[in-house]
Amino acid sequence: MAMLLLLVTQMVPTLVLIVPLFVAFSEMQIVDTLLSLIIPYFIMAIPFCTLMLVGFFKQVPYTLEEAAMLDGCTRLKSLFRVVVPVIAPGIVSSFVFAFISAWNELFFGVMFINTELKKTIPPGISMFIQKVDVNWANMTAAAVLSMIPVMIMFFFVQKYLVQGLASGAVKG
């Protein structure tokens, strides 16, 4: 039942959440703060990451956990020493999806942040679009610069994904 509820939350368009969240954030007086962006990003990421990680957890055989407990590990210790390293590629990939989703999100940034110094990258790039003119040179330069952190992250994540997949394929 819980998985069905998480799946249903993924079917709700994010635009439907903007007005109720804006009303709630206005009452809590957190509009134009970074917290007003962090909360919706978590609201969107947690169900997706949970659904994604359930598949990875189901692929881990229970015998690995039992073997760790026979070797003297507690259930929690076997989770962190055996299961988490096995599903590390799933954890990394769900992190990447959540990060990219938050990095590219425009509507919450436009709706909840008014101060120019607090704006995220997509609303900042959209400021190059004026009523009668589009500053294509600056907008393109900003878009290219905004890709640099993502490319650096993928460079490091790719290395760890390959290591996790390779170590999981070899039995020792």
Side-chain angles (χ1 to χ4, degrees):
M1 184 66 182
M3 296 305 291
L4 181 64
L5 183 64
L6 288 175
L7 188 62
V8 167
T9 63
Q10 293 299 294
M11 295 178 196
V12 176
T14 55
L15 290 176
V16 172
L17 299 174
I18 286 184
V19 173
L21 283 174
F22 186 80
V23 170
F25 292 165
S26 295
E27 289 178 12
M28 292 188 291
Q29 297 178 349
I30 60 171
V31 173
D32 203 28
T33 65
L34 293 180
L35 187 61
S36 66
L37 292 179
I38 292 170
I39 292 171
Y41 294 159
F42 271 110
I43 289 172
M44 292 184 314
I46 287 174
F48 176 77
C49 291
T50 303
L51 287 169
M52 193 168 169
L53 287 175
V54 162
F56 283 97
F57 273 105
K58 283 184 178 179
Q59 290 179 351
V60 176
Y62 186 68
T63 55
L64 283 177
E65 215 174 332
E66 285 178 340
M69 287 191 273
L70 283 174
D71 288 340
C73 287
T74 63
R75 185 170 294 277
L76 191 62
K77 209 177 207 182
S78 68
L79 173 71
F80 285 109
R81 291 200 176 182
V82 176
V83 177
V84 170
V86 170
I87 66 161
I91 293 170
V92 170
S93 60
S94 65
F95 166 77
V96 167
F97 278 115
F99 177 80
I100 296 298
S101 173
W103 187 263
N104 290 330
E105 204 283 320
L106 172 71
F107 296 115
F108 291 132
V110 168
M111 190 71 172
F112 298 140
I113 302 295
N114 300 321
T115 308
E116 284 190 31
L117 291 175
K118 294 179 184 176
K119 286 191 184 288
T120 58
I121 291 175
I125 291 174
S126 71
M127 289 174 30
F128 292 114
I129 302 172
Q130 304 297 320
K131 282 186 179 181
V132 294
D133 186 37
V134 177
N135 191 342
W136 288 107
N138 289 345
M139 189 165 67
T140 306
V144 169
L145 287 175
S146 74
M147 289 188 280
I148 292 172
V150 176
M151 291 186 330
I152 291 170
M153 184 198 63
F154 269 110
F155 176 75
F156 288 111
V157 166
Q158 178 185 10
K159 183 172 80 171
Y160 291 117
L161 273 176
V162 171
Q163 282 179 347
L165 290 172
S167 67
V170 178
K171 291 189 176 190

